């Protein structure tokens, strides 16, 4: 069933992320805070290179993309970020305490994404995988197309 969440932003979102990461047994370091802040500041999915560039500019020193990738792996494991597989990019998860399979609607025109939580749909995907003898961990569903704003602009 699809549902909505309170979407914390700014400092509230950083506080939620820090608390979630610490509950997962990880440390909230200055670099992790910087990467999460940069990720949360993007209005589209961001690649590790986008984030490395943003953090480098903010800190006045070069931050390597491979360092950002390692941090993103920690964030995904702790549910602080979600990976948009087809774009090899990431979005901040504004409700990390709530674990759902997500569906990404990806606009091929402008690059915007919409993140939906709809467990009724992903339940069917999980069931089909199990029927095939596969144990699913977390389905990733992406629907590529054109968003309403781009359709109107065309």
């Amino acid at each position: 069933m699809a549902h909505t969440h309170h979407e914390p932003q700014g400092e509230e979102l950083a506080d939620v992320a820090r608390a979630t990461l610490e509950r997962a047994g990880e440390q909230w370091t200055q670099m992790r805070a910087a990467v999460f802040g940069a990720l949360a500041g993007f209005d589209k999915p961001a690649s590790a290179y986008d984030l490395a560039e943003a953090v480098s500019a903010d800190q006045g020193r070069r931050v390597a993309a491979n360092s950002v990738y390692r941090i993103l792996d920690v964030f995904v494991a702790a549910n602080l970020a979600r990976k948009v597989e087809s774009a090899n990019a990431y979005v901040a998860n504004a409700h990390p305490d709530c674990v759902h399979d997500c569906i990404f609607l990806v606009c091929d025109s402008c690059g915007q994404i919409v993140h939906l939580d709809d467990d009724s749909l992903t339940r069917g995907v999980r069931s089909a995988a199990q029927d095939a003898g596969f144990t699913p961990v977390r389905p990733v569903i992406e629907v590529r197309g054109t968003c309403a704003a781009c359709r109107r602009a065309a």
Side-chain angles (χ1 to χ4, degrees):
M1 173 178 207
H3 62 278
T4 59
H5 296 275
H6 165 68
E7 299 285 331
Q9 297 178 356
E11 198 60 40
E12 181 187 6
L13 178 57
D15 290 344
V16 168
R18 183 181 66 249
T20 301
L21 195 62
E22 289 173 349
R23 276 194 306 278
E26 295 285 348
Q27 292 182 347
W28 185 254
T29 64
Q30 287 183 328
M31 182 56 72
R32 288 176 178 179
V35 171
F36 188 82
L39 180 62
F42 275 84
D43 64 349
K44 295 180 184 178
S47 71
Y49 293 95
D50 295 332
L51 294 167
E53 185 177 307
V55 173
S56 294
D58 185 56
Q59 294 190 354
R61 65 180 181 92
R62 185 180 175 281
V63 173
N66 62 348
S67 297
V68 173
Y69 271 118
R70 285 192 294 274
I71 291 170
L72 289 169
D73 286 344
V74 170
F75 287 174
V76 169
N79 203 35
L80 297 182
R82 297 290 184 95
K83 184 175 183 185
V84 181
E85 297 288 342
S86 64
N88 194 29
Y90 300 81
V91 295
N93 184 2
H95 45 90
D97 288 333
C98 190
V99 178
H100 291 281
D101 298 325
C102 67
I103 302 161
F104 288 118
L105 307 178
V106 182
C107 181
D108 289 325
S109 296
C110 69
Q112 290 291 342
I113 64 136
V114 174
H115 165 205
L116 304 174
D117 289 327
D118 189 338
D119 291 338
S120 64
L121 178 63
T122 57
R123 192 174 304 116
V125 172
R126 285 177 174 279
S127 178
Q130 289 169 341
D131 289 349
F134 187 79
T135 304
V137 174
R138 176 176 262 169
V140 175
I141 299 173
E142 296 181 22
V143 179
R144 298 193 68 95
T146 307
C147 71
C150 288
R151 274 196 330 271
R152 283 191 298 272

